[in-house]
Amino acid sequence: MDFKFTPENIERINKEIAKYPVKKPAVMATLYIAQEQNGFISNEVIKEVSLLLNMTAEEVLGVVTFYTMYYQKPMGKNHIQVCTNVSCMLRGGYEIWNQVKEKLGLENMGVTEDHKFSLEEVECMGSCGTAPMLAVNEDYYENLTKEKVEELLKSLSQPLS
Amino acid sequence: MEKIVLPEIDNLHVLDVYVQNGGFTAAKKAFSQSSDDIIDQVKKSGLRGRGGAAFSAGLKWSFMPKTTDKPKYLCINGDESEPGSFKDRQIFEYNPHQLIEGILITCYAIGAKIAYIYIRGEYHKWVKLMQKALDDAYTAGYVGEAMKEKFGTDFFCNIYIHKGAGAYICGEESSLMNSLEGQRGYPRVKPPFPAQNGLWGCPTTINNVETIANIPPIINKGWEWFSKIGEPKHPGTILFGVSGHVNKPGVYELPSGTLLTDIIFNYAGGVPGNKKILCVIPGGSSMPPLRGDQLEGVKMDSESLKAAGSAIGTGGIMVMDEDTDLVKVLARIAHFYHHESCGQCTPCREGTGWLEKILKRILAGNGSVNDLDLLITVATQIEGNTICALGEAAAWPVRFMVTRFRDYFEARVSKEINLEVANKVHSMRHTAIPLAEIKN
Ligand SMILES: Cc1cc2nc3c(=O)[nH]c(=O)nc-3n(C[C@H](O)[C@H](O)[C@H](O)COP(=O)(O)O)c2cc1C
Ligand code: SF4
Ligand code: FES
């Protein structure tokens, strides 16, 4: 299946390109935009991005695999990221991790069958002072307790109206 | 105590409020002086980098070539991914315009026309907040071509935000530049240093967010004023991020040289349940850990911490009480650096893997006393043998934790030397062990 950016997204990408003296540095932002549109980074996306930015597909793939925030498979609608690094761990990060794992029945990088949830164990997110924390997609939830997590998961499970 | 970087003024993140409180007067003042003068003042102020290495900011700027036909660049390091560090995000959120003003002055001083603020990818919210502040500053004419008229000067510069995508190593300055250029974020071999050969081969200065946020007050109130705050060799305030086992974790802006115990017990409210402290990592997870009974009299500035056997790093203070499982902590730290090693250098790529593997073995109860020496051997073989300082960042916590808490670690391993393991590991270089056996 071919992948083409929407005209609005092409416009956004052009704005990114304008920040730099050459096109290539826009690859990170372009991949974010592609991921937003397509859900994940497919081979077709890589091809399209490479054509757009005058890069080889291998160069684009190299960028995709270097970073943890580009996904090469579709993740859940709610991508849950639990930090288990030291400051979180000291304040119950692993308990939160185990709780979410159990509740969703997922292992690290797992996705539920209905694609509503996916789970990732992440490194320090810069919330050490408000630990433990997890993020749902782009939003941080901090100073967590098991009750708060329970409540959060419940609200996310509600059918979207 | 006066707060320089995060003053307690309501809504300071709003441009108008920032301007009402003297915002952009430092830039105006700076543009009326020569760039050499500005560099000189920053040098004399004694300001040292807040990104980890505590290098003199003014000195770094002075490395930028004066005569070159190439464009010059400024990179602001907001990758903030060192476990235990969460200070730069406060600046993005609460005082973004002071960072912007600091960038204008720095660009002027080093002769850069373009600055990039590299912000870690996970900080979606703070990227948005910073972008909003930047858009407002552009609209009001404080940044870009319009600033010529605003400030009545010939100088102008543009500021752009570049969002990372989840890689701790991109906080390392040369990795950051490769990442910004749209390549894999592999650190570069140094020299050449960024001031000679940075972004796109052009002269580049890289500074931490907090470092640059200190510039406007230095220009406004003078280098002498700044140099008298805190410890003379590392003056100014520092944003200390306190996390772990304290009652009031958070970011505290305090003069350099504040006592570590004062920060933990007074500002951060002490340890829950009045438990004893087993261990403190004073500057983010890659800095040498201190024993709980080593904290008395330790001052938080780079020289004092060096004397105490650690380093200031990013000022991220991680406190662990007496019930903490240090083996688990160290295994988690080792996992982090193994995960984040970019894999370019063999000692780092393989060594971080071994450190994690050995620590997990000890954690599982299968460690023997020779494992402790093995950890130190592996750590020592990483240090100094790699392209970038992630090698040291991975090795230090292991080497210092095992050495300083030898008693603790010995109690967790069998006193018997596990010959099978010892032979396997120590003879590795001479006998060909089937790969499957070495793995895991
Ligand atoms: C592995 C590694 C990660 C780093 N991460 C950061 C970071 O997230 N933020 C930062 O400002 N500096 C980081 N640094 C330090 C930078 O390389 C560089 O020294 C710093 O940005 C310079 O700014 P300063 O002189 O203002 O401190 C890191 C260094 C290493 C070796
Ligand atoms: S020391 Fe580690 S992180 Fe740094 S360049 Fe070498 S392999 Fe990469
Ligand atoms: S350790 Fe979890 S946010 Fe820093």
Side-chain angles (χ1 to χ4, degrees):
Chain A
M1 234 188 12
D2 266 7
F3 171 82
K4 286 276 170 234
F5 283 105
T6 61
E8 299 82 58
N9 280 344
I10 289 285
E11 209 164 292
R12 284 167 73 194
I13 293 166
N14 284 336
K15 269 194 199 150
E16 290 294 333
I17 292 173
K19 293 178 178 177
Y20 311 97
V22 288
K23 280 186 171 179
K24 195 171 166 181
V27 65
M28 293 183 72
T30 306
L31 285 169
Y32 271 126
I33 293 169
Q35 186 159 277
E36 196 185 294
Q37 188 183 320
N38 192 57
F40 69 107
I41 308 292
S42 63
N43 288 343
E44 290 74 21
V45 165
I46 290 176
K47 201 173 132 212
E48 185 64 16
V49 171
S50 70
L51 290 175
L52 205 60
L53 300 177
N54 299 337
M55 294 169 72
T56 66
E58 289 77 8
E59 283 177 308
V60 178
L61 178 65
V63 172
V64 171
T65 55
F66 192 82
Y67 301 95
T68 55
M69 291 174 66
Y70 301 123
Y71 300 97
Q72 287 181 276
K73 65 172 189 187
M75 302 308 281
K77 196 175 203 83
N78 297 294
H79 183 56
I80 305 203
Q81 306 138 67
V82 183
C83 172
T84 58
N85 211 306
V86 176
S87 300
C88 283
M89 174 176 137
L90 294 172
R91 297 180 81 91
Y94 273 100
E95 276 124 77
I96 303 292
W97 166 247
N98 288 327
Q99 181 189 359
V100 181
K101 239 169 77 167
E102 248 166 63
K103 190 89 194 168
L104 300 179
L106 293 175
E107 290 299 319
N108 192 21
M109 294 312 277
V111 187
T112 55
E113 251 169 49
D114 60 3
H115 276 268
K116 229 176 198 171
F117 290 100
S118 51
L119 179 61
E120 184 175 1
E121 181 179 3
V122 292
E123 296 300 345
C124 177
M125 299 280 273
S127 292
C128 325
T130 37
M133 71 84 68
L134 62 73
V136 182
N137 303 330
E138 301 193 349
D139 301 322
Y140 280 29
Y141 294 83
E142 305 177 310
N143 288 315
L144 292 176
T145 58
K146 289 198 143 189
E147 292 71 35
K148 278 199 216 171
V149 172
E150 186 72 33
E151 206 178 302
L152 174 67
L153 291 179
K154 214 190 228 164
S155 74
L156 294 174
S157 306
Q158 304 292 325
L160 298 169
S161 49
Chain B
M1 170 58 218
E2 187 182 4
K3 303 213 160 59
I4 300 171
V5 176
L6 294 174
E8 283 159 7
I9 298 170
D10 287 343
N11 296 318
L12 192 57
H13 66 282
V14 177
L15 179 62
D16 287 348
V17 178
Y18 182 70
V19 171
Q20 278 156 26
N21 284 279
F24 293 104
T25 50
K28 176 114 188 147
K29 189 171 168 189
F31 299 152
S32 69
Q33 302 170 43
S34 78
S35 54
D36 281 345
D37 269 353
I38 302 296
I39 295 180
D40 197 47
Q41 288 166 43
V42 173
K43 251 194 216 166
K44 285 193 195 138
S45 77
L47 174 67
R48 293 168 69 164
R50 304 290 196 246
F55 191 79
S56 159
L59 195 57
K60 187 185 277 188
W61 295 3
S62 72
F63 296 152
M64 289 291 274
K66 296 268 174 291
T67 48
T68 170
D69 39 18
K70 288 181 181 169
K72 299 187 221 176
Y73 295 100
L74 172 67
C75 284
I76 303 300
N77 193 338
D79 195 52
E80 186 149 85
S81 307
E82 167 99 339
S85 314
F86 48 100
K87 60 183 183 75
D88 295 335
R89 78 178 237 195
Q90 318 292 333
I91 297 173
F92 296 140
E93 184 162 352
Y94 298 108
N95 203 0
H97 292 290
Q98 190 165 319
L99 174 62
I100 293 172
E101 186 175 8
I103 293 172
L104 299 182
I105 299 169
T106 310
C107 280
Y108 177 72
I110 63 173
K113 283 281 177 65
I114 294 182
Y116 295 102
I117 311 176
Y118 190 107
I119 304 180
R120 66 176 298 181
E122 292 86 348
Y123 275 3
H124 306 279
K125 173 179 161 188
W126 293 274
V127 168
K128 284 186 195 135
L129 291 173
M130 196 62 222
Q131 187 66 57
K132 166 85 173 75
L134 197 53
D135 291 347
D136 290 348
Y138 261 104
T139 308
Y142 290 106
V143 189
E145 288 246 31
M147 62 187 276
K148 287 197 208 166
E149 203 189 311
K150 190 88 182 171
F151 293 105
T153 145
D154 290 338
F155 173 78
F156 78 95
C157 63
N158 281 298
I159 305 175
Y160 305 106
I161 293 174
H162 185 97
K163 188 174 174 182
Y168 164 68
I169 191 58
C170 290
E172 195 281 335
E173 56 186 24
S174 60
S175 163
L176 184 148
M177 294 189 301
N178 275 345
S179 172
L180 212 154
E181 286 181 14
Q183 310 183 45
R184 288 169 76 83
Y186 286 136
R188 301 176 183 173
V189 178
K190 284 177 270 186
F193 290 97
Q196 273 74 49
N197 193 335
L199 275 178
W200 302 290
C202 302
T204 303
T205 292
I206 302 190
N207 276 121
N208 173 258
V209 169
E210 184 187 346
T211 312
I212 297 305
N214 270 292
I215 299 299
I218 290 176
I219 299 302
N220 252 342
K221 299 189 179 170
W223 60 268
E224 277 174 309
W225 161 81
F226 187 86
S227 69
K228 290 195 183 99
I229 301 168
E231 280 295 300
K233 287 194 170 157
H234 187 186
T237 59
I238 297 178
L239 300 182
F240 295 109
V242 193
S243 65
H245 296 142
V246 289
N247 284 313
K248 291 191 288 177
V251 172
Y252 297 93
E253 179 173 1
L254 296 165
S256 67
T258 303
L259 285 174
L260 177 55
T261 47
D262 202 21
I263 298 176
I264 296 173
F265 292 104
N266 294 339
Y267 293 96
V271 183
N274 280 324
K275 285 187 191 160
K276 278 202 205 120
I277 295 176
L278 178 61
C279 174
V280 173
I281 305 183
S285 70
S286 59
M287 298 300 143
L290 298 170
R291 287 177 67 103
D293 55 20
Q294 281 185 324
L295 308 180
E296 216 50 59
V298 172
K299 290 201 272 182
M300 291 297 290
D301 63 274
S302 72
E303 301 301 319
S304 310
L305 271 173
K306 208 185 283 168
S310 191
I312 187 82
T314 55
I317 301 170
M318 304 158 100
V319 181
M320 293 162 236
D321 72 17
E322 55 190 326
D323 296 332
T324 308
D325 183 344
L326 278 191
V327 179
K328 207 169 160 189
V329 168
L330 193 55
R332 186 65 186 81
I333 291 178
H335 169 78
F336 173 72
Y337 291 105
H338 182 208
H339 181 254
E340 301 298 335
S341 167
C342 82
Q344 277 192 113
C345 329
T346 313
C348 173
R349 183 185 62 237
E350 302 300 320
T352 52
W354 277 104
L355 294 177
E356 180 182 3
K357 205 176 321 191
I358 298 165
L359 280 158
K360 290 218 162 132
R361 177 158 77 208
I362 299 174
L363 190 59
N366 300 325
S368 67
V369 70
N370 56 310
D371 279 341
L372 302 183
D373 299 321
L374 187 58
L375 281 173
I376 292 173
T377 307
V378 174
T380 314
Q381 284 172 354
I382 300 174
E383 281 176 53
N385 295 322
T386 59
I387 292 175
C388 89
L390 188 137
E392 278 76 27
W396 279 4
V398 174
R399 181 157 69 84
F400 286 99
M401 184 94 89
V402 174
T403 313
R404 289 182 182 158
F405 293 85
R406 183 81 193 191
D407 46 347
Y408 184 98
F409 277 80
E410 280 195 356
R412 290 289 291 274
V413 295
S414 153
K415 290 279 185 289
E416 309 266 311
I417 289 188
N418 184 338
L419 270 183
E420 205 189 328
V421 171
N423 283 341
K424 202 173 184 177
V425 171
H426 292 297
S427 60
M428 204 168 58
R429 263 172 279 168
H430 312 293
T431 45
I433 297 172
L435 198 65
E437 239 178 273
I438 307 174
K439 276 193 169 171
N440 293 312

